[in-house]
Amino acid sequence: MIMTEQQAKRLEAACRRFLHDILLMEVGDSLLVYIDGGSDASLAESIVATARAMGMVADSMPLQRYSDLSAQTAALRAAIQRADYRVLCELSETYLYPSGIWAEAVRAGRRVYSAGPIDAECFQRCITSIDYSALAAMGDAIKQLVSRARNVRVTSYAGTQLTCRMQPH
């Protein structure tokens, strides 16, 4: 997709917000964006370029060059360990959290974010149109309510009815 100058500026602004406000990255932090064939490679390139322009270390890793999931997992694990990335961003239609990489990364103190196979236009819309501070505040309020509950019931006008018994800490 060829972008106009205005579209490119909006994408860069979305990338900056994503890196600073959502991934909480600072100058000197390191980021690995991994993508596969279902991902928008230009989005990964934009995120990496913006991170570098903001003084961060950033790389992208195309997973489709590896033959299967086990080869992708092994290559990703090796790349993370070799460069000690502090933040991982998954732009992949093959979610790797079942592989153990997510758990290993979190235990090692890394932040992991999965956006799935998103394109640049959708990324801009999602990043720039959501009040993430309000979303975080709502999540904290829900956490407070749920942490004191023995049972939680979620219903909606559409007919959703979920009931869960909470385990004590």
Side-chain angles (χ1 to χ4, degrees):
M1 177 180 113
I2 299 174
M3 283 191 267
T4 66
E5 186 176 332
Q6 184 179 14
Q7 289 170 321
K9 285 181 181 181
R10 282 196 310 261
L11 178 57
E12 181 184 357
C15 289
R16 285 180 177 279
R17 183 170 188 206
F18 177 67
L19 294 163
H20 184 267
D21 297 348
I22 297 170
L23 296 184
L24 306 175
M25 294 189 71
E26 299 176 357
V27 171
D29 280 347
S30 56
L31 167 71
L32 176 64
V33 179
Y34 55 97
I35 61 174
D36 65 12
S39 306
D40 183 348
S42 68
L43 173 57
E45 292 166 10
S46 295
I47 292 170
V48 167
T50 303
R52 289 176 178 166
M54 294 172 69
M56 300 160 192
V57 176
D59 296 303
S60 66
M61 181 177 182
L63 296 176
Q64 64 269 25
R65 65 182 168 196
Y66 300 99
S67 58
D68 59 22
L69 185 58
S70 63
Q72 291 175 355
T73 302
L76 184 57
R77 183 177 282 118
I80 293 166
Q81 291 171 347
R82 184 175 48 253
D84 193 30
Y85 294 103
R86 303 311 306 152
V87 180
L88 308 177
C89 177
E90 179 177 77
L91 299 178
S92 171
E93 63 186 357
T94 303
Y95 294 105
L96 294 176
Y97 62 81
S99 70
I101 288 179
W102 276 50
E104 292 169 23
V106 170
R107 276 195 306 272
R110 294 177 174 90
R111 293 187 304 278
V112 183
Y113 183 88
S114 178
I118 193 169
D119 64 20
E121 184 180 334
C122 184
F123 176 82
Q124 288 177 59
R125 228 179 16 261
C126 291
I127 298 302
T128 59
S129 64
I130 296 172
D131 182 342
Y132 287 97
S133 296
L135 183 62
M138 182 181 74
D140 289 342
I142 291 170
K143 178 182 175 185
Q144 289 299 316
L145 289 170
V146 170
S147 68
R148 296 188 306 257
R150 287 197 171 116
N151 295 297
V152 174
R153 183 171 179 185
V154 178
T155 62
S156 76
Y157 293 115
T160 301
Q161 292 190 20
L162 300 172
T163 303
C164 303
R165 183 176 313 274
M166 304 304 288
Q167 296 290 330
H169 294 288

